[in-house]
Amino acid sequence: RLNCTAATLLTGIGFTVATSFTDWDGISSEMDFIGLKNYQDLLKDDPFWLALQNTVFYAVVGVPLVIIFSIFLAHQINKKIRGRTIYRTLLFIPAITIPAAIGILWRWILNYQYGIFNWILEKLGFSRISWLGDVKYVRWAIILVVVWSMVSYYVIIMLAAMQGIDSSYYEAARLDGASSRQVFFKITLPMLTPMIFFSVIMVTIGILQIFDFIYLMVDRQTLSYTYSMSLVTYFYECAFNKSSMRGYGAAISVVLAAIIMVITMIQMVGKKYWVRSGE
């Protein structure tokens, strides 16, 4: 069964790469080979570069926020506080909620006319903000939802890693008179390094493939949709909404896969360097 899955995956990858060198429309049986034309067109395609810029923005801003909030929240609920089990349950709810439900929920929360955010702003004496309709705010709104939805899962991972740290380290630190801050930065954080690297890789891959929230939250007829599109969203528009551009869409997916592969390799090399330098 595993061999069949690997074979199917490799076949799909091979077909996508091959399609990226054609002008296939996804309907006809003819696939004319056009060489590197799709990739050459990408270099001159402004919407592609905008989608790439947006994707990089989501990753650069979103990844650190997810990791930082995950560590902070895991550290807080790892303490002996009342109702810790309830807090864990509440934090994990977004992780088990399907992206479609999250997107629809936040589209309502950020709605210009009756959204909770704008209602709070008005109560505080501020003007309403078009979170999903203004190009100045739409990407930050997407980041907010992405971080909120991803943090819960990585809080559980960080919490499990923290609880796996030998208590003798903390006991020795307390005997030496170390403060809580010193214990966190000298013991907890270094011991979490392997899990942090794993989380960074997984969060990066996840954010680079962001699609659901943009598609569900932002009105496709507005300018803000164009200015918030990720590479996956642009791939969808080219490959499915413009059926004559299936080959072009395949080229976009190949570029995205190459970007993810390169970033992952850089992170893996960085992990080895970090471990060696720590030794």
Side-chain angles (χ1 to χ4, degrees):
R1 183 179 299 176
L2 184 61
N3 290 335
C4 291
T5 303
T8 303
L9 178 62
L10 291 175
T11 301
I13 294 174
F15 179 77
T16 301
V17 174
T19 303
S20 69
F21 296 104
T22 70
D23 61 353
W24 187 47
D25 59 6
I27 300 176
S28 65
S29 58
E30 297 181 359
M31 299 177 65
D32 296 330
F33 179 78
I34 58 174
L36 297 174
K37 186 177 185 305
N38 286 329
Y39 295 96
Q40 292 172 345
D41 290 342
L42 282 178
L43 296 176
K44 299 176 290 184
D45 188 1
D46 291 337
F48 166 77
W49 288 107
L50 180 58
L52 177 60
Q53 177 184 335
N54 292 336
T55 304
V56 172
F57 172 81
Y58 294 139
V60 170
V61 177
V63 173
L65 289 178
V66 171
I67 300 301
I68 291 171
F69 278 114
S70 298
I71 296 173
F72 172 77
L73 292 174
H75 181 63
Q76 294 303 311
I77 63 176
N78 192 40
K79 300 176 181 178
K80 294 181 179 179
I81 56 176
R82 182 177 299 178
R84 182 168 59 174
T85 303
I86 298 176
Y87 294 143
R88 292 179 185 176
T89 303
L90 293 175
L91 281 171
F92 196 61
I93 288 177
I96 59 176
T97 306
I98 59 175
I102 294 175
I104 294 172
L105 171 65
W106 277 95
R107 180 169 182 168
W108 174 73
I109 292 175
L110 297 172
N111 185 272
Y112 179 77
Q113 294 181 340
Y114 49 81
I116 295 176
F117 272 25
N118 280 332
W119 178 81
I120 294 174
L121 286 177
E122 285 191 324
K123 292 298 181 181
L124 295 175
F126 297 100
S127 301
R128 293 181 181 183
I129 295 176
S130 182
W131 299 102
L132 301 176
D134 193 325
V135 295
K136 294 186 297 183
Y137 301 107
V138 64
R139 295 196 305 178
W140 290 104
I142 298 296
I143 284 291
L144 171 64
V145 179
V146 169
V147 172
W148 180 84
S149 65
M150 297 185 74
V151 159
S152 58
Y153 178 77
Y154 290 96
V155 165
I156 302 301
I157 291 179
M158 294 297 177
L159 180 61
M162 287 180 184
Q163 294 181 343
I165 300 175
D166 195 333
S167 60
S168 62
Y169 293 111
Y170 296 111
E171 293 172 0
R174 293 190 187 98
L175 290 174
D176 290 338
S179 64
S180 299
R181 182 175 182 179
Q182 289 173 324
V183 169
F184 176 76
F185 284 101
K186 298 295 184 179
I187 298 177
T188 304
L189 205 56
M191 297 294 287
L192 288 178
T193 299
M195 190 56 65
I196 291 175
F197 270 107
F198 167 77
S199 299
V200 167
I201 292 173
M202 298 306 296
V203 173
T204 301
I205 293 174
I207 292 183
L208 288 176
Q209 299 179 83
I210 182 176
F211 168 78
D212 310 75
F213 301 139
I214 299 172
Y215 188 78
L216 291 169
M217 291 171 55
V218 186
D219 188 348
R220 294 168 56 196
Q221 306 303 320
T222 62
L223 186 63
S224 59
Y225 179 73
T226 302
Y227 278 83
S228 64
M229 281 197 305
S230 65
L231 281 178
V232 178
T233 312
Y234 188 53
F235 156 76
Y236 174 83
E237 292 295 333
C238 292
F240 294 96
N241 287 345
K242 302 175 182 177
S243 59
S244 61
M245 300 179 67
R246 293 288 171 87
Y248 194 72
I252 296 173
S253 66
V254 170
V255 171
L256 177 60
I259 292 173
I260 292 175
M261 186 180 300
V262 170
I263 292 176
T264 303
M265 290 176 62
I266 292 173
Q267 290 174 332
M268 294 301 294
V269 172
K271 177 182 177 181
K272 292 181 180 179
Y273 175 78
W274 183 275
V275 172
R276 289 175 183 176
S277 61
E279 296 175 350

